[in-house]
Amino acid sequence: MLEQGTISIHTENIFPIIKKSLYSDHQIFLRELVSNAVDAIQKLKMVSRAGEYNGDIGEPEIEIAIDKNNKTISISDNGIGMTAEEVKKYINQVAFSSAEEFIHKYQGKSDQPIIGHFGLGFYSSFMVAQKVEIDTLSYQEGAQAVHWSCDGSPEFTLEESSRTNRGTTITLTLQAEEEEYLESARIKTLVKTYCDFMPVPIKLEGEVLNQQKAPWRESPNNLSKEDYLEFYRYLYPFQEEPLLWVHLNTDYPFIINGILYFPKMRPDVDVTKGQIKLFCNQVFVSDNCEEIIPQFLMPMRGVIDSTDIPLNVSRSALQGDRTVRKIGDYIAKKVGDRLKELYRDNREQYISAWKDLGTFVKFGVLNDDKFKKQVEDIIIFRSTAKIAEQSVSTPAVEVQSQDGDVWQDVTPNAPSTEGSATSTPYTTLKEYLERNKERHENKVFYCTDEASQATYVELHKNQGLEVLFMDSFIDTHFINFLEREYNDVKFTRVDSDLDNTLLDDKSGEIVDPTTNKTKSEVIKELFEKALNKPKVNIRTEALKSDNPQGTPPAMVLLPEILRRLREMNAMMQQQTTEFPEDHILLVNTAHPLIQNLANLSQGSIIQGDGLSPTAQLVNMICQHVYDLALMSQKGFDGEGMKSFVERSNDVLTKLTEQVNH
């Protein structure tokens, strides 16, 4: 026996702390041991290139072996190995990082980084093992192989070994409650999760388990469009193809490699949950980068790999320090630059992707002032205007060059699509305001639900008023932002009120000498009596149109301020916005149905037992017209729909009766 002694630690309670608190997940032990094995192989390459080792380094590999009978799992590498003195220095002195010392000595002599940072990775073994053994032989000529063993107490043994092949084997005798790691399927899953892109083959029973190639560390010039797409499919299987991507590859002002994708968005996406995978030297760290990536970029996907991101000892959380914030700002700026360039150089593609990109941009504008200043001029809206646009071309791939902010286009040549037109025009708000300055200066008409507000939109279009569609799930908040930015502009939803441009002048209406009322006043009274809803404000207006039959007989309007207050209260109380009892029913006196209704009412008489059949029919038609107007604003519940159907049948029955008479 070479030596027997006590591990150099600062407290006798270090092992209970390691077992219970060092890492949040016990499965991390495999990642740490494989990372150490990769480090050992990279170190051997370093000393070989430095001329300190002339032997054959062979094909690097890491072998995992499972022995169910003895309840052991071992991780072997053919790397640099250790001498007895190195085992004492790097293993017995907890938290002394051999990787840090090695980097300083051989800096600049390897194209592959050293993974380890903390020196505690090896001790994660004791979270799952009742006994840990190291069998190692150094690359140094004439070195004696040694065997180290520890049962989880501060006691260890170090003795000579009969090992003849260079490298290190770590053998764990598992605790009874950790025997799940004796299953090969479990080990394959962990390697796939944490070690998939480590640059050394990792084998189990002769089968290579990992990809090894990390595309984000490749030169963008070596990657084709299909390579980027294939990597995305591998990371996110069964997902739609991404819109475009950004390859980050820079060493100033930070060392960052990565590929970020803009995915197609679904309306139900949770924009607060990230899907960008964080790596450190090709070692998987976390499924999200919440502390690094600004919140508005959370829906992006892909990989970020950086050694400049400070990790805690478990590599499972990030420290919210100034460096991290600067890295976040840097990534956000590059994303903003990419979007601006796409808008400038390939607007048709930008427009095509806007349905999905718009969520990123608007969310970013609401949450980040720097990003807002970058992109505020490229926020676009779908419009009813007749604006010539061009169709979509193949998504471009932009990569950040090593020289800083310059972007290189590495997109494969796509066929030209110039001259074709998109089906739907888009415009910026500034363009909208400039285009409509003569017709309605500093006034914006918008729609939030194309289906339910179609009648209102069509009414505006027919009178030459341009309407913007603000119908994404984020637009409710975004409209408030726009009003703060454009405080001299009035934003009006198409169903909140009708601009005077849409209405005929009523000043010339004739007063009937027998009733001393205008036709509009008569119609208003008809609806007030028929509906008997004091909270419904009935207005009578003649809608402008060359075809009155094509306009709605009535419309329900929701005053802008009151509607927004209700929406805000509902949001604060986390409730669904209910349709308000207080609303406006605008009756279109120019519509033939309403005029016929007024004429019909003139012939109704009061009978001894109540209303005449004609008066009853007038009331039912008024209620039916109101129901139809209401349907464009809200859906009926079961009872409401039942009443509507019954009333519709009654109206049709009475109408057919009158015709037959």
Side-chain angles (χ1 to χ4, degrees), residues 220-236:
N221 295 325
N222 296 335
L223 297 175
S224 66
K225 172 187 174 183
E226 186 56 33
D227 289 330
Y228 284 104
L229 291 175
E230 191 60 37
F231 183 50
Y232 184 83
R233 295 177 195 129
Y234 181 74
L235 293 176
Y236 310 100

Side-chain angles (χ1 to χ4, degrees), residues 13 39 103 109 149 157 166 202 213 234 289 344 352 417 424 451 455 499 516 556 575 578 587 614:
N13 296 321
D39 279 352
I103 285 174
K109 295 185 173 67
S149 178
T157 61
R166 183 199 67 239
I202 302 169
K213 178 184 175 183
Y234 181 74
C289 301
R344 183 186 67 239
S352 175
T417 56
T424 307
T455 301
D499 189 75
N516 203 30
V556 169
Q575 296 176 347
E578 295 184 358
V587 180
T614 301

Side-chain angles (χ1 to χ4, degrees), residues 530-585:
L531 300 184
N532 192 26
K533 292 180 179 291
K535 292 187 177 182
V536 176
N537 180 15
I538 296 172
R539 280 175 50 191
T540 51
E541 299 283 358
L543 299 181
K544 280 185 182 177
S545 176
D546 295 332
N547 176 25
Q549 180 66 43
T551 59
M555 306 172 75
V556 169
L557 303 178
L558 301 176
E560 188 86 9
I561 296 176
L562 294 178
R563 174 180 55 78
R564 291 202 200 180
L565 284 174
R566 293 183 68 88
E567 290 174 349
M568 186 182 301
N569 288 335
M571 182 181 66
M572 293 176 64
Q573 297 173 18
Q574 297 183 333
Q575 296 176 347
T576 304
T577 305
E578 295 184 358
F579 189 81
E581 292 184 7
D582 301 81
H583 53 267
I584 298 168
L585 176 65

Side-chain angles (χ1 to χ4, degrees), residues 626-642:
Y626 173 64
D627 282 345
L628 291 173
L630 204 58
M631 286 179 71
S632 68
Q633 287 284 3
K634 74 181 192 75
F636 289 139
D637 57 18
E639 187 60 35
M641 181 56 71
K642 178 173 176 291

Side-chain angles (χ1 to χ4, degrees), residues 207-404:
E207 176 188 357
V208 177
L209 305 180
N210 61 325
Q211 291 273 318
Q212 302 169 56
K213 178 184 175 183
W216 65 88
R217 296 189 71 90
E218 296 283 324
S219 168
N221 295 325
N222 296 335
L223 297 175
S224 66
K225 172 187 174 183
E226 186 56 33
D227 289 330
Y228 284 104
L229 291 175
E230 191 60 37
F231 183 50
Y232 184 83
R233 295 177 195 129
Y234 181 74
L235 293 176
Y236 310 100
F238 311 114
Q239 299 293 313
E240 292 185 83
E241 301 283 83
L243 300 168
L244 54 117
W245 47 91
V246 178
H247 193 144
L248 297 176
N249 184 7
T250 185
D251 55 11
Y252 180 83
F254 314 100
I255 297 175
I256 293 180
N257 295 280
I259 303 174
L260 299 181
Y261 294 88
F262 290 89
K264 291 189 176 180
M265 298 283 286
R266 297 188 307 274
D268 60 345
V269 70
D270 186 346
V271 296
T272 65
K273 292 186 177 179
Q275 297 191 58
I276 297 174
K277 300 178 185 295
L278 176 63
F279 285 73
C280 182
N281 286 337
Q282 296 170 239
V283 181
F284 176 73
V285 174
S286 174
D287 254 327
N288 61 70
C289 301
E290 292 181 6
E291 293 87 348
I292 304 170
I293 299 296
Q295 189 181 26
F296 69 90
L297 293 180
M298 285 298 170
M300 291 189 75
R301 295 175 181 172
V303 166
I304 287 178
D305 190 334
S306 175
T307 55
D308 284 324
I309 297 172
L311 307 174
N312 70 357
V313 291
S314 69
R315 289 195 179 111
S316 63
L318 298 171
Q319 299 168 359
D321 66 359
R322 185 179 303 174
T323 301
V324 170
R325 290 194 296 273
K326 287 184 177 179
I327 290 175
D329 290 343
Y330 179 78
I331 294 172
K333 181 181 184 301
K334 294 307 172 187
V335 170
D337 289 344
R338 174 70 183 98
L339 293 173
K340 286 170 62 179
E341 185 171 38
L342 183 63
Y343 178 83
R344 183 186 67 239
D345 298 340
N346 198 342
R347 189 167 180 180
E348 62 270 23
Q349 183 194 338
Y350 183 85
I351 288 172
S352 175
W354 180 255
K355 183 178 179 181
D356 301 282
L357 290 180
T359 301
F360 292 105
V361 176
K362 291 174 185 175
F363 194 53
V365 166
L366 291 174
N367 290 275
D368 190 302
D369 285 339
K370 291 180 182 177
F371 187 76
K372 183 198 78 165
K373 291 176 182 176
Q374 267 191 290
V375 302
E376 59 187 352
D377 292 332
I378 63 171
I379 299 168
I380 59 176
F381 303 92
R382 192 159 56 94
S383 170
T384 59
K386 305 296 184 183
I387 309 171
E389 298 288 357
Q390 292 183 342
S391 69
V392 180
S393 60
T394 305
V397 182
E398 295 286 336
V399 299
Q400 181 199 349
S401 73
Q402 295 284 354
D403 297 328

